[in-house]
Amino acid sequence: MTKIDLIARAKSQLADKKYLALKKTIAQLKDASPKAAIEFGLMSDFQQGRVSGLEERLDKYLADFDEVPYDNLVAAAKMKCDKEKFAEAIAYCHRAIDQSDQLPEAPEMLYACYQNMGKGEEARKVVDALIAKIGPLQRYLEWQIITYASLPLPEVVVKAWEAIQQNYSIDDTVEKAGVFAGLIRSYALLGRVEEAEALISSDIISGTDREHPQVRLAQCEVLRWKGDIQKWANEMVRLADDHPENIEAHWNSALALLSAGRIAEGWERYEIRWQWEGFPSPKRKFHVPTWSGEDLDGKSILIWAEQGVGDQLMFLNTLPELFELGPSEVIIEVVPKLVKVVSAWYPEAIVRENGPLIVSPETDTDYSTIDYEIPSGSLPLHFFSSVAQIKSAKRRFIQVSDKKRAAITGEFGRKYNKLVGLAWRSSLLTTSRQSLYLNVTAMVNLIEKSPSDVGFISLQYGLSDEERDALLATGKVLIPTEDFYDDVHANGMYTGCCDLAVATGSANLILAGIYGVPAIGWGDKDSWVLMGQEQHPWFPNIYQIMCMANWDKGAVVRKISERLAQIYAIWGLA
């Protein structure tokens, strides 16, 4: 029997699931076509669910042979994806797509990988490519709803839903919970709250789907967008309590409680973050207990940073209260770019870079003297857990001397009576975060309306060429040469040279707070950072413009402009 005949027989036996007969055919194939014998052996075991050792054999096969069938690459990608080895799965998907970019199986698996990894932007590109090449199949439109809702890009979500309604049966929707949750949230984001509520109460969503955690979470978001913050917090707590295994729900309930001004409850639930796999900071392990309010007189305590740069600085604002407890030694660990600024802020502390995730006192001698440790995000539980604590809290500010200010701003500083710092966005320009920021055009508008003897300093890091050109064209802006993204201390010093800062709710606004510079900020009124307060609770020198749901950026710019006009008048420069 020829090699072609043996391969044809093996294909037929595999399709008919005649595994014993196939085993004999594979034995005959080993001499005629070793590669085909390996392939049929792998496919037979895969089809029978005999997975022991299969992954290693599959990896070796794919490493040994450059030309392998498309289906085998997809099968290998699926196995890797099921094992959450997403990087390897993605590599196999791309290898299959390079072989044939018109077939859907590899891109579909690629989408599954990105979606499971929480990489919405990448998942969006894949599903858009599938719709463009294969067509607007119902499952692709469902994926589009789920993906775009997570970014969020609500207009696309609603459009995809309309396409499903026009061309398919809604009853055939496979991922109902994800689709309905994404659609409800998108309606709310667009300000179409009545449509969101109508969908929630309609017969389209069954009772079972309506009680799904994803759908309930979306219903909670509708309450938030309606401005019913207390009811939103109550429903978030109920959702978390109904699903104790859903750690993300508990985390979200903590943020909702903080937003509602139920500060003590919020910070207590905030501690759940270390049990959530999606939390962005890893939990470190130490040989000493976590501080939970014990007497610190004569004791050594380590505060280690978590989350982003702005979060780290914000939480460390509570440290003056800790120093009052009389510790003999305070060690603060932060990301490298914050060491210099935190050292200037708290010179009595030992400030250094974050150390190892698992600390051993025998090998990590820098930790041999500590009695307690605490992650910085747990400090507010002890020092910022009530309105009374927040109002009475001691604050520490860094001051830039007149001499230093003159040296930093040079001729530009001498040219103007007052200096205003500007920062309108973060460096992380994800789709979801861009809705919180303004653009350089808005800043130029503010500059052009300013008195002639007011100069401006760009505190914005990661300036694009277009942003730089627009600012320089005004003739009133100093753009420092330092890399503010990595040199946070330099960013802070320039901030400290300003008489006023205008900044979005990023690290720039926190730096203005730390350097004691009066600042104008803006952001969602129901942000958990504000803890339900009328003004910025972390720094009294920040004037916060409270934005309602679906806020109009043009209206925010007008409010900033009005506030600036008031300040110019106070300065006698109107």
Side-chain angles (χ1 to χ4, degrees):
M1 185 174 287
T2 66
K3 179 177 75 173
I4 294 175
D5 291 334
L6 287 170
I7 290 174
R9 187 168 71 181
K11 285 182 179 178
S12 175
Q13 291 167 339
L14 184 68
D16 294 338
K17 300 181 180 180
K18 296 179 178 180
Y19 299 119
L20 288 176
L22 176 59
K23 187 176 181 180
K24 295 179 182 178
T25 304
I26 290 172
Q28 293 176 277
L29 262 175
K30 286 182 178 178
D31 292 329
S33 178
K35 178 171 174 285
I38 293 171
E39 289 172 352
F40 281 112
L42 289 168
M43 287 187 285
S44 175
D45 287 346
F46 188 80
Q47 197 165 284
Q48 293 179 75
R50 295 162 59 178
V51 296
S52 179
L54 184 60
E55 184 181 6
E56 292 77 12
R57 289 164 53 208
L58 194 56
D59 286 338
K60 185 177 186 308
Y61 157 70
L62 292 172
D64 289 345
F65 299 101
D66 292 330
E67 296 183 8
V68 297
Y70 179 93
D71 290 343
N72 290 6
L73 288 165
V74 173
K78 183 180 186 309
M79 176 176 286
K80 295 292 185 182
C81 186
D82 290 343
K83 292 178 176 287
E84 298 187 357
K85 296 181 178 180
F86 298 119
E88 295 175 61
I90 288 169
Y92 287 147
C93 286
H94 283 300
R95 193 169 161 185
I97 291 169
D98 289 341
Q99 192 178 110
S100 177
D101 63 359
Q102 298 301 312
L103 295 175
E105 292 83 5
E108 289 176 357
M109 186 54 58
L110 189 61
Y111 168 81
C113 291
Y114 285 138
Q115 193 68 12
N116 283 318
M117 294 170 75
K119 292 192 172 184
E121 292 284 355
E122 289 82 355
R124 174 190 66 78
K125 293 174 185 176
V126 174
V127 73
D128 286 351
L130 280 166
I131 290 173
K133 289 184 178 181
I134 309 301
L137 304 183
Q138 182 165 358
R139 68 176 181 276
Y140 297 162
L141 292 170
E142 290 179 29
W143 293 353
Q144 196 173 52
I145 289 173
I146 293 167
T147 303
Y148 274 85
S150 70
L151 292 174
L153 287 170
E155 296 88 351
V156 180
V157 171
V158 173
K159 186 177 179 181
W161 175 246
E162 290 170 351
I164 288 176
Q165 289 179 302
Q166 292 170 6
N167 300 295
Y168 301 101
S169 169
I170 296 171
D171 292 336
D172 293 335
T173 304
V174 176
E175 301 188 46
K176 287 186 171 66
V179 167
F180 293 142
L183 185 59
I184 292 166
R185 188 176 290 112
S186 296
Y187 278 141
L189 283 169
L190 292 170
R192 295 160 63 174
V193 175
E194 291 182 358
E195 289 174 82
E197 291 181 314
L199 178 62
I200 291 168
S201 60
S202 71
D203 294 336
I204 294 175
I205 304 180
S206 68
T208 302
D209 291 326
R210 192 173 287 108
E211 287 301 309
H212 191 282
Q214 286 188 57
V215 178
R216 284 181 62 185
L217 179 60
Q219 293 179 59
C220 290
E221 288 297 308
V222 172
L223 294 172
R224 179 187 182 186
W225 287 109
K226 287 176 66 178
D228 196 342
I229 304 303
Q230 293 299 331
K231 191 171 182 181
W232 167 47
N234 289 337
E235 288 302 308
M236 289 296 297
V237 169
R238 191 169 71 86
L239 172 60
D241 291 346
D242 287 348
H243 296 275
E245 78 292 346
N246 191 328
I247 303 301
E248 186 175 0
H250 285 272
W251 165 251
N252 286 324
S253 72
L255 302 186
L257 285 166
L258 289 171
S259 298
R262 291 154 64 176
I263 304 171
E265 294 176 80
W267 288 125
E268 287 170 5
R269 284 185 177 250
Y270 198 80
E271 293 299 297
I272 199 73
R273 65 194 185 280
W274 301 115
Q275 298 180 40
W276 178 35
E277 291 182 0
F279 189 64
S281 297
K283 179 78 164 76
R284 297 176 65 185
K285 296 181 180 179
F286 297 88
H287 59 289
V288 296
T290 299
W291 183 68
S292 57
E294 294 87 351
D295 182 11
L296 283 180
D297 188 27
K299 301 293 185 181
S300 174
I301 184 169
L302 166 72
I303 297 102
W304 51 276
E306 58 174 282
Q307 304 180 57
V309 168
D311 300 298
Q312 292 178 41
L313 294 173
M314 183 176 72
F315 294 139
L316 291 178
N317 188 42
T318 62
L319 276 187
E321 298 296 318
L322 185 138
F323 283 116
E324 292 288 311
L325 300 179
S328 60
E329 181 181 61
V330 175
I331 302 170
I332 306 171
E333 291 190 344
V334 291
V335 293
K337 66 173 73 176
L338 291 185
V339 170
K340 194 172 181 179
V341 69
V342 175
S343 296
W345 196 10
Y346 297 114
E348 67 269 63
I350 298 170
V351 182
R352 64 197 187 200
E353 297 179 18
N354 265 344
L357 291 180
I358 301 175
V359 171
S360 167
E362 291 79 19
T363 57
D364 301 309
T365 55
D366 286 342
Y367 301 89
S368 60
T369 63
I370 64 172
D371 298 297
Y372 296 103
E373 57 81 20
I374 186 171
S376 59
S378 293
L379 291 171
L381 176 62
H382 301 282
F383 303 117
F384 259 46
S385 62
S386 71
V387 173
Q389 278 189 321
I390 292 170
K391 288 184 176 180
S392 65
K394 296 176 176 63
R395 264 76 172 195
R396 178 83 66 84
F397 301 106
I398 303 174
Q399 298 294 326
V400 177
S401 67
D402 291 341
K403 183 178 179 181
K404 193 69 175 177
R405 171 178 164 140
I408 291 173
T409 61
E411 183 63 33
F412 184 88
R414 291 188 288 274
K415 182 179 177 181
Y416 294 98
N417 188 294
K418 297 289 184 180
L419 297 176
V420 176
L422 299 176
W424 53 92
R425 60 169 173 79
S426 167
S427 62
L428 184 59
L429 292 177
T430 60
T431 305
S432 59
R433 296 188 72 173
Q434 285 192 43
S435 63
L436 303 175
Y437 305 141
L438 300 179
N439 56 32
V440 72
T441 303
M443 298 300 106
V444 169
N445 179 274
L446 297 176
I447 295 166
E448 291 176 342
K449 291 181 178 179
S450 67
S452 59
D453 46 358
V454 174
F456 294 83
I457 299 178
S458 172
L459 304 175
Q460 181 62 58
Y461 40 90
L463 278 177
S464 68
D465 291 340
E466 292 79 8
E467 289 173 323
R468 184 181 300 274
D469 291 344
L471 294 175
L472 291 175
T474 67
K476 296 184 64 176
V477 181
L478 172 65
I479 300 180
T481 57
E482 289 85 350
D483 179 4
F484 282 168
Y485 181 77
D486 286 320
D487 194 344
V488 179
H489 181 259
N491 195 337
M493 292 299 287
Y494 275 96
T495 302
C497 290
C498 295
D499 300 285
L500 176 73
V502 177
T504 186
S506 64
N508 289 105
L509 189 63
I510 302 300
L511 283 172
I514 292 170
Y515 279 81
V517 175
I520 301 172
W522 64 89
D524 291 335
K525 181 179 181 180
D526 57 13
S527 168
W528 69 270
V529 170
L530 298 177
M531 294 185 280
Q533 304 307 297
E534 291 299 319
Q535 274 304 320
H536 206 286
W538 300 88
F539 297 97
N541 51 313
I542 295 176
Y543 174 81
Q544 186 79 8
I545 295 174
M546 302 292 187
C547 303
M548 302 301 290
N550 303 303
W551 50 283
D552 176 5
K553 292 186 179 183
V556 172
V557 175
R558 288 191 293 276
K559 287 184 179 181
I560 296 172
S561 184
E562 290 168 3
R563 187 69 176 178
L564 283 172
Q566 294 170 0
I567 294 171
Y568 296 152
I570 293 170
W571 287 345
L573 303 177

